[in-house]
Amino acid sequence: MAYKTVKDMEKKYKIITYGCQMNLHESEKIAGILRELGYVDTDSVDDADIIVFNTCCIRENAENHAFGNIGALKQLKKNNPNLIIAVGGCMTQEKGKTDVLKEKFPFIDIMFGTLNLEEFGELVKKKLAGKKKVIAIRETEGEVVEFDGAYRTSYPNAWVNIMYGCNNFCSYCIVPYVRGRERSRKPEHIVAEVKKLVAEGYKEITLLGQNVNSYGTDGLGVSFAELLDMVASIEGKFRLRFMTSHPKDFNEDVVKVMQKHRKILRLVHLPVQSGSNDILKAMNRRYTREKYLQEIEMLRSYFPEAEVTTDIIVGFPGETEEDYLLTEDLVKRVNYASAFTFIYSKRQGTRAATMENQVPEDVQKNRIMRLVELVNSLTRKKSETYVGRTVEILCEGYDEKKKMYMGRDEFGRMGYFESDKDEVGNFVWLKITRANGISLYGEIVEGTQE
């Protein structure tokens, strides 16, 4: 007779996450809730007692991916009726999507939305108490609920929400419909959270929001620049990032705070989406190409070394070849450190989904291939400029395949190096000896440099 060990008898969870850093951090919160209920994590869905899908609906392929993975669990649920399958995140919050999920996947046990994530523990308890199906989707956003029980898995990096929701209503974007209106956390709660993380040894903090520059405009009375100053004033050696900034709101006050505190990295994520004023207007972005370039010029007047990353959509309804070429031109002018490039994805419920002049798929694919090649060529050139330089790297982990430690410089460039000791969580100085595409390789230089 085989006896189960204590470890075998532990309740186990598996979280599958789609989408952005916001979703990744929310999965850390879900993990914290499950651990409070006595669950431990597992790498395998076959071993899990509860499987949670934290979904994204920003683009169609993310949604289709989630559908495919949920559907793949049908047999697993049949073999193990006690398995709990939960689905949350942006997709469940989307209007009408819970009905679709119930019809396609009747074996789902729990559904919850982005606006009531903090209730997830109570929903699990209801299911364990015998309720057949638990569905809780809040339709309106409430007060910000403070939650400090996240189970962080990203050491030495940590993400900190400063606000939730979005008021911008870009014509292609579903976010305001699935995450609600903007709600800012109180600054004292944010500062206390960052202080705690720094005391625990986290070395890079990223302040998160759909549009961080709108922080405090919901009546809080504290601007993002003021909050940034408060957080950067916390003692200790750590890096400070923030994302995402909206070009319509990015301003010199923020850059002046960056100048005041060296721990705020000279890297700004500033999504442009298109280089054409006609397309920007159709997207309801509320800035022009010229204003965007002025902001880049302003940033680099303070920090000539500053780098910018961005998001770009190609194939938006009505985009002509001329519009696309304006995007290419802007990419060259800004000379981005990197860019996240996407084909326009029609999202039901958004204004762009009903626009005429939808761009044919073959044209979209042609443009994205050209844009990716352009961005990659610029990225490779930037990597080559690192060779011979000495840069500070925050070591994030160990690459088992390369048998090397790895970490990023302040501009997000990944550097690989060898060491006889465990360097994870340490700042190290690397003399870069070669570059390969977007990756750097170097040797540790003893001592520090400023």
Side-chain angles (χ1 to χ4, degrees):
M1 180 176 179
Y3 290 92
K4 287 189 174 183
T5 65
V6 172
K7 186 173 181 59
D8 290 331
M9 295 172 66
E10 288 178 325
K11 297 184 295 183
K12 300 176 183 178
Y13 70 84
K14 171 69 175 175
I15 300 174
I16 301 170
T17 308
Y18 305 88
C20 61
Q21 285 183 321
M22 187 82 72
N23 278 33
L24 290 171
H25 182 40
E26 287 176 350
S27 288
E28 292 182 332
K29 295 178 180 179
I30 294 170
I33 291 170
L34 288 171
R35 295 180 81 85
E36 287 181 357
L37 295 176
Y39 289 84
V40 297
D41 59 321
T42 177
D43 292 330
S44 172
V45 294
D46 295 325
D47 294 335
D49 297 284
I50 180 169
I51 301 171
V52 184
F53 290 89
N54 187 12
T55 62
C56 174
C57 65
I58 304 304
R59 293 174 185 85
E60 186 177 16
N61 59 350
E63 190 171 287
N64 290 340
H65 195 193
F67 276 163
N69 285 342
I70 295 169
L73 296 184
K74 181 177 181 180
Q75 188 61 44
L76 189 64
K77 176 71 171 179
K78 185 177 180 180
N79 295 340
N80 179 13
N82 293 324
L83 171 66
I84 297 174
I85 297 176
V87 180
C90 293
M91 194 166 73
T92 53
Q93 194 69 50
E94 189 178 354
K95 187 176 181 180
K97 199 52 62 81
T98 53
D99 292 333
V100 174
L101 288 166
K102 282 191 292 185
E103 182 178 349
K104 289 177 68 74
F105 313 111
F107 52 85
I108 294 175
D109 299 290
I110 300 172
M111 282 190 271
F112 61 103
T114 60
L115 301 181
N116 60 327
L117 181 149
E118 72 280 356
E119 299 172 17
F120 180 62
E122 294 304 314
L123 305 182
V124 174
K125 290 178 183 178
K126 288 181 180 179
K127 177 59 186 176
L128 292 172
K131 191 167 182 180
K132 185 175 181 180
K133 193 178 293 289
V134 183
I135 300 176
I137 311 293
R138 184 185 295 162
E139 294 185 0
T140 57
E141 61 275 4
E143 295 294 321
V144 172
V145 176
E146 289 297 325
F147 180 81
D148 61 0
Y151 177 63
R152 298 182 182 273
T153 57
S154 54
Y155 179 84
N157 304 306
W159 301 306
V160 175
N161 288 108
I162 66 170
M163 61 188 301
Y164 303 93
C166 182
N167 290 352
N168 289 311
F169 289 92
C170 298
S171 63
Y172 55 83
C173 187
I174 198 74
V175 166
Y177 304 97
V178 297
R179 288 194 173 272
R181 303 294 80 77
E182 291 175 350
R183 292 98 64 206
S184 302
R185 293 179 64 198
K186 292 181 179 179
E188 57 267 30
H189 293 154
I190 297 167
V191 170
E193 182 176 353
V194 176
K195 281 183 177 179
K196 183 173 183 287
L197 289 167
V198 173
E200 291 172 349
Y202 286 88
K203 303 295 177 60
E204 183 168 301
I205 311 296
T206 302
L207 305 181
L208 290 178
Q210 299 295 335
N211 177 14
V212 292
N213 301 103
S214 291
Y215 175 83
T217 58
D218 52 344
L220 200 61
V222 177
S223 70
F224 176 60
E226 291 169 329
L227 174 71
L228 192 61
D229 188 29
M230 293 178 198
V231 176
S233 298
I234 295 171
E235 294 184 1
K237 180 174 173 58
F238 65 97
R239 291 174 172 176
L240 184 59
R241 299 185 190 271
F242 54 88
M243 65 183 303
T244 296
S245 292
H246 195 298
K248 76 177 180 63
D249 298 315
F250 187 68
N251 59 60
E252 195 167 4
D253 289 344
V254 172
V255 179
K256 287 179 179 178
V257 175
M258 293 172 64
Q259 184 183 48
K260 179 180 176 181
H261 299 280
R262 189 60 187 90
K263 64 181 60 171
I264 306 175
L265 303 186
R266 309 318 196 206
L267 174 70
V268 176
H269 186 64
L270 200 62
V272 68
Q273 306 300 3
S274 175
S276 163
N277 282 339
D278 288 342
I279 298 302
L280 289 173
K281 184 177 181 180
M283 289 178 167
N284 193 35
R285 292 291 287 174
R286 288 180 282 175
Y287 57 84
T288 63
R289 166 194 179 92
E290 290 74 23
K291 181 180 186 299
Y292 185 90
L293 290 171
Q294 286 171 4
E295 290 175 1
I296 300 298
E297 183 179 357
M298 180 269 293
L299 173 67
R300 288 177 172 161
S301 71
Y302 281 85
F303 316 113
E305 77 281 12
E307 292 283 12
V308 180
T309 57
T310 198
D311 297 341
I312 301 173
I313 296 171
V314 301
F316 187 81
E319 183 188 69
T320 64
E321 179 67 9
E322 182 181 11
D323 292 322
Y324 167 73
L325 290 175
L326 285 170
T327 296
E328 277 199 1
D329 178 72
L330 186 139
V331 168
K332 294 172 185 175
R333 286 172 182 261
V334 177
N335 193 18
Y336 291 108
S338 64
F340 299 97
T341 57
F342 309 96
I343 291 176
Y344 165 71
S345 179
K346 185 187 291 188
R347 298 284 77 196
Q348 295 302 320
T350 64
R351 188 158 56 86
T354 63
M355 289 181 177
E356 298 180 354
N357 300 321
Q358 298 284 328
V359 178
E361 185 177 344
D362 60 332
V363 176
Q364 290 181 322
K365 289 182 177 179
N366 175 267
R367 289 176 185 167
I368 196 71
M369 289 174 63
R370 290 155 61 192
L371 182 62
V372 167
E373 177 53 38
L374 172 60
V375 170
N376 287 347
S377 68
L378 296 175
T379 301
R380 287 191 293 267
K381 288 179 182 177
K382 282 186 179 289
S383 293
E384 290 166 3
T385 66
Y386 276 83
V387 177
R389 291 164 50 195
T390 301
V391 298
E392 188 180 51
I393 298 287
L394 173 58
C395 183
E396 298 178 354
Y398 185 78
D399 189 311
E400 290 289 348
K401 187 175 180 180
K402 295 180 185 290
K403 302 299 180 185
M404 302 178 81
Y405 286 95
M406 59 184 183
R408 300 179 190 275
D409 76 339
E410 72 168 300
F411 304 116
R413 193 73 59 175
M414 184 66 77
Y416 293 89
F417 61 97
E418 296 178 346
S419 177
D420 294 332
K421 64 177 183 178
D422 184 359
E423 299 287 1
V424 177
N426 293 336
F427 289 100
V428 299
W429 287 91
L430 289 189
K431 176 71 174 293
I432 305 303
T433 56
R434 68 184 178 94
N436 181 17
I438 62 173
S439 299
L440 310 173
Y441 295 83
E443 300 172 351
I444 291 181
V445 176
E446 296 298 330
T448 60
Q449 301 182 19
E450 296 295 336

